[in-house]
Amino acid sequence: MAITGIILHTLGEKTDAVRAMVEQSDDLQFYGLHEEKHLVIVGEMPSRELKRRLEGLEKTDGVLAVYTTFVNTEDEQ
Amino acid sequence: MSLSRRDFIKQLAAMSALTALGIPTKAKADQNIDFWSKAVCRYCGTGCGVMVGVKDGKVVTVKGDPNNHNKGLLCLKGALLAPVIYAKERVTKPLIRRNGKLEPASWDEALDLTARKFRESIDKFGPESVGYYGSGQALTEETYLASKIFKAGLKSNNVEGNPRLCMASAVGGYTTTFGKDEPCGCFEDIDATSCFFIFGSNTSECHPVLFRRIADRKQSDPKVKVIVVDPRTTNTARIADLHLKVKAGNDLALLNAMAYVIFREELDDPRFIERYVHFKDNEKKTHTLEEYLRFLDDYTPEKVADLVGVTAEDIWRAGRMFGEAPASLSLWCMGANQRTRGVWANNLISNLHLITGKIGKPGSSPFSLTGQPNACGGVRDTGGLSHLLPAGRVIAKKAHRNQVEKQWGIPQDSLNPKPGLHTTALFEAMSKGEVNCLLTLCTNPAHSLPNLHKFNPGLKQCFLACIETFSDAKTLEFADVVFPPSFWVEREGVYGCSERRYALIGKAIDAPGECRDSVNILVDLAVRMGVDPKLVPYKNSEDVWNEWREVSSSTPYNFMGITRERLRKESGILWPCPTEDHPGTKRRYVRGEDPNIPADYPNKYWFYGNEDGRAVVWMRPQKPPAEPADAEYPFVLTTGRVIDHWHTGTMTNKVPEINKSFPEAYVEINDQDAKRLGVQNGDNVELISRRGAMVFQARVGDVCNPGLVFVPWFDPDRLINELTIDAIDPGSKQPEFKICACKVRKV
Ligand code: SF4
């Protein structure tokens, strides 16, 4: 499983809904909220699914952009 | 992996995200770093500042530079740069092709063989039988030096580079409109604008950190509007208030129609027009405002809506949004440039700013986004193209040649007055045996040129010497000699990004094996070719930089104040910057900001690149692309980048995390078209153009317009450029990568 550091840049009024979605997802862990618009989360998913998962997050209502800041795949190697 | 180790890595992942947001963290990893060294990201034209963490002489991590314009943020590519340095594919010894195979050789053997081949060709066929092909990823010093060696030392103006494939139309647009190349605004305009007009740019994938700034600005004020013009519903288009999902290739009509709307709605700025603008047609004949308005009468939204592929109502909305906004910022990229009418598209975008006076003010500017990290600095500013000399001078002008001859200490009228061959002409001349020797630096033309079947024979036929980092670059299949260069933070040098910001890449580590700095390779090679050593008296890139500052100082570019010392301390400076206490210039052509305009100049603006001090509003008519879809080839093929991969993939395919998540290119196809063709997501489909055929896995969805297919071009195993067209813009000579006709077939 890859471990990924992710920032979700959200629309202010939809931040709570996006956070709730993150907290309900098995493969995402919520770490913090910055300036009411940046959710810091950590994802755990096979790296082959990473791209698709990030694209899915990007298409979530209220998400303006997704930034990946860290990927570790050492236990897949 | 044990649970605790896993938790530790999760903490690291979260910390990296917090650090990217500028939130201080006490990263344990920091304690394991010997020192941090300042650099610039190796990838896109955003030019993010990075800090490279070194431990035991190795780069172990990369983080954003909080003092540079990116404020500490990086995208995934930038954050994962470290593994690229240590790729097993690094070339670490010179190579010479023997019996069809590249084999290790000594530096003397490789340099002598190359020098002899070039010398023989020059002696037998003249200086124009040799050439240089560089890169918007080379250092500024490398391109300046290579251009000087070839133009002054060997008397060959066949000096080109891959920016011809990406930014030449922007150069043509700026020089025909303003008389000088390069954008007038800066990244700070993003924070001050009230209307983004994003034209042919998938900023979210191609300039991700800038996109974050755009999204931030939009979110900070509900009145900020975003207009996106793109035939694909990209991630960028998803934040648009108005997405004009145009038919590919007919957007010149759209730009003229927006100008029409601006006048009809009286959103123009008559005072600015009267003082600072004049109107010209394609024959360069000057016209009155009334004549320009009559020209625009052919472009009412109602007349062009069908051609453009959007509703007249949306064109009215776009014109109003642009014109009504207190400040409008146009951002464009390859969708405007990689076209047979790329210069015209650039002109027409600038027109919108000139007729509304939305230029030279915070948040208002026409602003092309450069693809590569040093296409502005490395190639455009230093004159690394076949028609240019350093600092905006051109070969065709005797006065410009004479200025440079004096600065370079060579006899008057000794530079070759004939501009050299532009990129596709150069590779064509190689196929015809008219150019026999080529030196490449940091570029991969056997992957990145259009219509590869046409140009590859030239690469095969000529003597090809490559200064190249990675052994799996396609071009090395044709190389006779390979020189291994130091890569990225293994040597010091300067990059200049989209906003005229120059920043230093510091040397942080030693290069592996026998790698040498490209500046030293070029100097050594030049001397062995017989170039006068007095012409290349440089020990390192700093010597070259200091000469470049001098050479620029008598021009409006003026880098004199951008000393190496300042670059070491500061995280980037925007030119012009004439003195060491000058802060750099955020907005050009504006009195009080641009040091080229005297403080007592009577007007606020001065477009000093043009003799009369006025910018040109061009009357450019609609023209179709070179190869539109037709009955036989009913689809339009367009190509581009994806967020994960960089250009020809030679760097990003060395990063396991990227490669695993995005191993191969695909074709994006509209769901209606897919249904009609019986194609489902994941099916193999064949794309067939007039130049070749290739199979890709289909990604079905609503991203592309019906009738459009998109393929990313990074994949060396699926060279989409075997299918693209080599038709070029007659002004900029840039190929039309964005549009050619194709068929699609399920296989
Ligand atoms: S946005 Fe561009 S310059 Fe910045 S980190 Fe990403 S690739 Fe590098």
Side-chain angles (χ1 to χ4, degrees):
Chain A
M1 289 280 210
I3 297 175
T4 312
I6 301 167
I7 300 169
L8 293 187
H9 187 174
T10 54
L11 267 172
E13 67 269 22
K14 303 219 166 140
T15 301
D16 288 344
V18 176
R19 177 176 170 170
M21 179 277 294
V22 168
E23 285 176 337
Q24 278 164 23
S25 307
D26 290 342
D27 57 351
L28 303 177
Q29 204 172 334
F30 174 75
Y31 267 77
L33 174 64
H34 182 54
E35 289 178 354
E36 300 302 314
K37 62 181 177 187
H38 292 125
L39 297 182
V40 173
I41 60 179
V42 172
E44 286 182 274
M45 60 209 70
S47 61
R48 65 177 180 285
E49 281 170 24
L50 181 60
K51 171 88 182 154
R52 203 166 308 154
R53 188 72 176 99
L54 294 177
E55 278 172 1
L57 285 174
E58 197 137 34
K59 292 198 172 106
T60 305
D61 186 34
V63 174
L64 283 171
V66 179
Y67 300 96
T68 333
T69 58
F70 179 96
V71 184
N72 180 295
T73 56
E74 64 186 51
D75 76 348
E76 290 185 345
Q77 284 158 16
Chain B
M1 191 190 288
S2 71
L3 187 64
S4 61
R5 165 90 182 141
R6 199 161 179 84
D7 283 344
F8 173 70
I9 291 175
K10 280 160 69 178
Q11 293 288 340
L12 278 185
M15 273 190 302
S16 74
L18 291 164
T19 309
L21 289 167
I23 303 163
T25 57
K26 282 210 162 54
K28 249 194 166 168
D30 265 34
Q31 294 162 12
N32 293 324
I33 300 296
D34 293 338
F35 65 90
W36 291 95
S37 177
K38 203 149 56 85
V40 182
C41 174
R42 181 62 186 71
Y43 295 115
C44 85
T46 305
C48 294
V50 302
M51 302 299 292
V52 172
V54 179
K55 169 88 181 152
D56 298 332
K58 283 191 101 178
V59 173
V60 290
T61 188
V62 173
K63 64 180 184 183
D65 177 356
N67 299 317
N68 210 317
H69 71 84
N70 53 309
K71 300 195 169 69
L73 197 80
L74 299 176
C75 75
L76 184 62
K77 287 194 295 288
L80 292 176
L81 261 161
V84 181
I85 303 172
Y86 302 106
K88 62 180 187 326
E89 293 86 355
R90 283 289 300 266
V91 184
T92 55
K93 277 177 184 306
L95 305 171
I96 289 179
R97 189 172 297 281
R98 295 184 178 113
N99 302 319
K101 265 185 73 184
L102 285 171
E103 290 178 352
S106 72
W107 272 100
D108 278 336
E109 283 175 306
L111 288 163
D112 283 340
L113 172 64
T114 305
R116 180 162 54 78
K117 288 284 187 183
F118 273 68
R119 204 59 258 168
E120 280 171 8
S121 183
I122 292 168
D123 291 345
K124 206 162 168 192
F125 303 106
E128 283 151 8
S129 68
V130 302
Y132 166 83
Y133 190 69
S135 170
Q137 295 165 62
L139 296 175
T140 306
E141 298 91 331
E142 292 164 357
T143 302
Y144 172 84
L145 173 59
S147 181
K148 183 180 180 186
I149 289 170
F150 275 75
K151 288 171 183 164
L154 303 177
K155 309 293 180 219
S156 171
N157 289 331
N158 291 337
V159 172
E160 277 285 290
N162 55 25
R164 180 71 77 182
L165 310 179
C166 73
M167 293 310 293
S169 295
V171 178
Y174 285 125
T175 48
T176 48
T177 296
F178 301 106
K180 289 276 169 228
D181 183 23
E182 297 286 12
C184 9
C186 60
F187 289 156
E188 271 185 33
D189 286 323
I190 292 173
D191 312 328
T193 198
S194 14
C195 176
F196 292 97
F197 181 54
I198 303 177
F199 185 99
S201 158
N202 183 4
T203 328
S204 91
E205 297 208 53
C206 300
H207 299 86
V209 169
L210 280 188
F211 182 71
R212 176 180 179 263
R213 204 158 166 175
I214 294 167
D216 245 347
R217 173 64 188 143
K218 175 168 169 54
Q219 201 180 354
S220 70
D221 182 348
K223 291 197 210 84
V224 172
K225 300 289 179 223
V226 177
I227 308 167
V228 170
V229 181
D230 198 311
R232 295 169 63 224
T233 307
T234 60
N235 286 329
T236 311
R238 290 184 53 252
I239 69 159
D241 297 278
L242 176 60
H243 175 202
L244 298 173
K245 203 169 178 183
V246 292
K247 285 182 197 158
N250 292 332
D251 38 23
L252 299 183
L254 168 70
L255 293 164
N256 279 331
M258 284 177 65
Y260 174 89
V261 171
I262 284 166
F263 280 103
R264 283 289 293 182
E265 298 292 55
E266 299 193 13
L267 298 168
D268 55 308
D269 183 338
R271 183 185 159 90
F272 190 91
I273 291 172
E274 206 227 309
R275 286 189 163 207
Y276 301 114
V277 156
H278 59 194
F279 302 91
K280 281 189 181 177
D281 66 16
N282 278 349
E283 272 66 58
K284 298 192 180 146
K285 194 174 151 229
T286 302
H287 288 264
T288 61
L289 171 62
E290 287 64 37
E291 286 167 327
Y292 174 60
L293 294 177
R294 277 203 291 282
F295 162 81
L296 290 181
D297 281 342
D298 285 340
Y299 296 94
T300 67
E302 289 70 23
K303 279 183 191 164
V304 304
D306 280 351
L307 179 75
V308 174
V310 297
T311 64
E313 195 185 313
D314 277 348
I315 301 176
W316 281 99
R317 274 181 73 203
R320 287 192 194 111
M321 270 186 191
F322 187 101
E324 284 169 358
S328 293
L329 178 66
S330 296
L331 300 168
W332 70 95
C333 200
M334 297 311 137
N337 295 341
Q338 291 181 329
R339 305 273 297 278
T340 42
R341 288 297 167 190
V343 174
W344 292 10
N346 274 261
N347 291 144
L348 295 185
I349 295 170
S350 289
N351 280 3
L352 299 178
H353 291 268
L354 293 169
I355 60 177
T356 54
K358 293 187 196 301
I359 186 166
K361 304 173 179 90
S364 277
S365 184
F367 194 158
S368 59
L369 297 175
T370 315
Q372 301 185 80
N374 197 29
C376 292
V379 175
R380 288 155 67 176
D381 298 346
T382 63
L385 293 174
S386 62
H387 64 294
L388 292 177
L389 288 168
R393 297 163 173 127
V394 292
I395 284 170
K397 284 193 182 162
K398 181 173 158 46
H400 287 187
R401 290 198 306 277
N402 290 164
Q403 285 166 17
V404 175
E405 284 154 352
K406 201 167 164 203
Q407 288 179 317
W408 282 349
I410 57 176
Q412 188 170 336
D413 297 327
S414 63
L415 282 173
N416 184 344
K418 194 175 143 211
L421 299 167
H422 61 79
T423 292
T424 55
L426 177 67
F427 284 88
E428 218 170 334
M430 283 155 54
S431 310
K432 290 183 192 155
E434 292 163 6
V435 170
N436 305 311
C437 297
L438 187 77
L439 175 68
T440 68
L441 192 156
C442 192
T443 186
N444 193 7
H447 184 144
S448 58
L449 286 172
N451 194 4
L452 285 168
H453 290 308
K454 178 171 171 183
F455 298 115
N456 279 352
L459 281 167
K460 200 166 188 176
Q461 203 168 308
C462 83
F463 176 83
L464 183 64
C466 301
I467 303 176
E468 171 57 51
T469 308
F470 301 106
S471 60
D472 56 344
K474 273 274 159 197
T475 305
L476 295 199
E477 291 173 14
F478 302 94
D480 297 288
V481 172
V482 184
F483 299 111
S486 327
F487 172 70
W488 194 41
V489 293
E490 293 164 357
R491 85 309 198 200
E492 188 183 87
V494 183
Y495 266 7
C497 73
S498 297
E499 67 162 348
R500 292 175 285 108
R501 174 188 294 268
Y502 275 65
L504 188 73
I505 298 172
K507 178 175 156 82
I509 52 167
D510 289 329
E514 297 180 28
C515 291
R516 285 191 190 174
D517 295 1
S518 297
V519 162
N520 302 107
I521 301 172
L522 289 166
V523 168
D524 199 342
L525 191 57
V527 173
R528 289 175 200 238
M529 283 175 184
V531 170
D532 183 350
K534 289 208 280 297
L535 201 65
V536 285
Y538 319 108
K539 288 201 177 57
N540 51 40
S541 70
E542 185 167 352
D543 293 344
V544 183
W545 177 256
N546 286 332
E547 180 177 304
W548 156 242
R549 285 170 53 226
E550 294 273 355
V551 164
S552 70
S553 65
S554 55
T555 74
Y557 282 64
N558 210 341
F559 279 67
M560 216 43 210
I562 310 181
T563 62
R564 215 56 168 201
E565 207 187 343
R566 274 186 81 180
L567 285 172
R568 285 193 186 104
K569 280 194 216 128
E570 298 173 40
S571 290
I573 302 166
L574 280 71
W575 66 266
C577 177
T579 55
E580 288 181 37
D581 57 358
H582 190 280
T585 303
K586 288 182 184 161
R587 290 178 193 87
R588 291 163 88 198
Y589 310 124
V590 184
R591 191 190 60 214
E593 296 215 33
D594 186 332
N596 294 304
I597 304 181
D600 59 354
Y601 188 73
N603 296 337
K604 179 75 182 161
Y605 304 98
W606 181 23
F607 296 103
Y608 48 77
N610 289 330
E611 266 171 30
D612 59 4
R614 287 167 175 258
V616 182
V617 169
W618 285 96
M619 295 154 68
R620 304 293 200 195
Q622 163 63 28
K623 284 270 182 222
E627 191 185 69
D630 56 21
E632 197 185 350
Y633 293 88
F635 282 84
V636 168
L637 165 65
T638 192
T639 65
R641 290 211 307 241
V642 288
I643 191 166
D644 319 63
H645 279 287
W646 171 252
H647 278 198
T648 64
T650 52
M651 290 187 283
T652 40
N653 68 17
K654 311 294 183 292
V655 182
E657 290 83 352
I658 291 177
N659 227 13
K660 273 190 189 172
S661 75
F662 208 132
E664 63 187 52
Y666 57 86
V667 58
E668 213 171 70
I669 180 166
N670 179 273
D671 33 24
Q672 292 170 34
D673 291 328
K675 198 170 168 198
R676 200 166 35 80
L677 296 167
V679 172
Q680 303 215 332
N681 212 19
D683 282 354
N684 279 341
V685 296
E686 186 177 32
L687 298 192
I688 308 148
S689 84
R690 290 187 171 87
R691 293 151 292 280
M694 202 166 287
V695 174
F696 296 91
Q697 228 180 50
R699 266 197 202 181
V700 177
D702 63 353
V703 176
C704 280
N705 254 339
L708 182 77
V709 289
F710 167 83
V711 177
W713 64 283
F714 68 89
D715 188 345
D717 297 323
R718 289 161 196 80
L719 289 174
I720 189 62
N721 278 328
E722 290 181 0
L723 274 65
T724 52
I725 192 170
D726 61 306
I728 55 171
D729 181 303
S732 68
K733 319 296 183 198
Q734 178 163 352
E736 191 155 60
F737 287 97
K738 286 295 175 208
I739 302 168
C740 73
C742 75
K743 317 184 213 201
V744 179
R745 194 171 70 86
K746 186 178 170 184
V747 288

